[in-house]
Amino acid sequence: MVSKAVVTAGTGGIGLETAVGLAKAGYAVTVVGRNAQRGARAVERINAGGGEPARFLQADLAVLDEVRTLAERIATEGELAVLVNNVGAMFQDRTDLNGVEASFVVNHLSPYLLTELLLPALRSGAPSRVVNVTSGAVALAKKVFDEVEPPGGYYGFHWYGRAKLANLAYTLDLAARLEGSGVSVFAADPGGAATDMTDGTMRNAKIVSPGLRLLWPLVRRKFERSTSGAASVAARSSIVAATDDTLQTGLLIGPQGTPVTPIKAATDPRTAAAVRKLTEQHAPIERVPDGVSN
Ligand SMILES: NC(=O)c1ccc[n+]([C@@H]2O[C@H](COP(=O)([O-])OP(=O)(O)OC[C@H]3O[C@@H](n4cnc5c(N)ncnc54)[C@H](OP(=O)(O)O)[C@@H]3O)[C@@H](O)[C@H]2O)c1
């Protein structure tokens, strides 16, 4: 039987390159995005490499109801071998999505919800894998998770990093939760690449805190350097995490395609517990207890 893989935000940027890599590795790939034309172009590009036919599914992953609908659709199709939660977004100005700050929704709640709702399909498809795409921005994030947002002004880069940190802590926690289930869980750090996301957000000093704004010329140069690479290179960490059979569950795969040590906050059980509480509050699901076959 053909193994199936899903790549969210897989119609452009790093996600599309990840999808191309997974198709080359023999998976029948589903790419998810908002724009159908972009989706059709992505499918054409993936299929040009031969292999199993790819397909596009339309969903705005910033809308949690659309995430639920997408998960239902994929879950009815049975076994799933690979889920790459590649969707991510950074916002220059504070944006609200149904009362929740947008970067927390897109970078954490959305991939969390899709993963949890697809666990039955991933268990059926075991040995299977979840890959959650993270970012180096976690290092500059506030590490307290008693609220969706810390008090004070809005700085998109730091809020993005904080949401990615929540998701990284969740990812490592999930790996421990699913130990022995046949579902392996990885985080993948792409490093940086020139994509719509970086082009659209990383040129404005307002995304960083006042302290870093004072150093903006330096910070901007650093951003430019670190996001000048090709998306095809940045996809390496996700492709390795999804396909390398020698990897143990619970690893963070770095930009070079090898395991790296996560920052301390991501492995702190207090972070994981606080993130879990906040997450379940804002993206509730009826959970089937782990270990119960479903
Ligand atoms: N680029 C970097 O330097 C960098 C560095 C570290 C981490 N990352 C992480 O790597 C991942 C990919 O980044 P990227 O730079 O390739 O992002 P990107 O340029 O924003 O990715 C574009 C793709 O995402 C889709 N997309 C965007 N928002 C979506 C939504 N709400 N729902 C569904 N699809 C959506 C777009 O399709 P539609 O417009 O048709 O929806 C398009 O296919 C993200 O998680 C990001 O945080 C990136």
Side-chain angles (χ1 to χ4, degrees), residues 158-268:
H158 303 277
W159 265 232
Y160 162 80
R162 189 166 166 282
K164 286 286 189 189
L165 175 57
N167 196 250
L168 179 57
Y170 160 67
T171 303
L172 303 178
D173 191 40
L174 181 68
R177 216 176 95 201
L178 296 181
E179 188 92 50
S181 69
V183 184
S184 303
V185 182
F186 301 92
D189 179 355
T195 63
D196 287 354
M197 189 186 89
T198 48
D199 194 37
T201 46
M202 300 196 71
R203 293 159 186 262
N204 194 324
K206 72 205 268 190
I207 65 166
V208 296
S209 60
L212 283 183
R213 270 182 217 176
L214 293 173
L215 304 169
W216 179 243
L218 265 177
V219 173
R220 184 184 164 140
R221 230 173 297 137
K222 190 163 166 38
F223 280 164
E224 276 171 356
R225 263 202 307 271
S226 64
T227 59
S228 62
S232 56
V233 175
R236 179 165 46 189
S237 57
S238 286
I239 296 169
V240 167
T243 59
D244 185 340
D245 289 336
T246 65
L247 297 173
Q248 303 263 341
T249 189
L251 290 172
L252 164 60
I253 306 304
Q256 309 305 322
T258 52
V260 294
T261 306
I263 62 165
K264 229 167 139 193
T267 55
D268 185 333

Side-chain angles (χ1 to χ4, degrees), residues 8-15 32-35 38 59-62 85-89 106-107 133-136 160 164 189-198 226-227:
T8 69
T11 58
I14 298 167
V32 181
R34 293 166 298 191
N35 182 296
R38 204 168 176 166
D60 183 346
L61 298 165
N85 285 304
N86 169 75
V87 74
V106 181
N107 296 291
V133 177
T134 185
S135 164
Y160 162 80
K164 286 286 189 189
D189 179 355
T195 63
D196 287 354
M197 189 186 89
T198 48
S226 64
T227 59

Side-chain angles (χ1 to χ4, degrees), residues 76-139:
T76 55
E77 298 170 347
E79 297 180 6
L80 180 63
V82 172
L83 170 63
V84 182
N85 285 304
N86 169 75
V87 74
M90 193 188 303
F91 299 86
Q92 286 189 19
D93 298 300
R94 192 186 177 286
T95 307
D96 225 64
L97 295 171
N98 276 328
V100 186
E101 190 276 318
S103 55
F104 199 75
V105 175
V106 181
N107 296 291
H108 175 55
L109 295 180
S110 167
Y112 158 82
L113 195 55
L114 190 62
T115 304
E116 295 291 330
L117 296 175
L118 288 179
L119 279 185
L122 287 156
R123 285 180 186 282
S124 310
S128 55
R129 287 171 183 228
V130 175
V131 179
N132 287 340
V133 177
T134 185
S135 164
V138 296

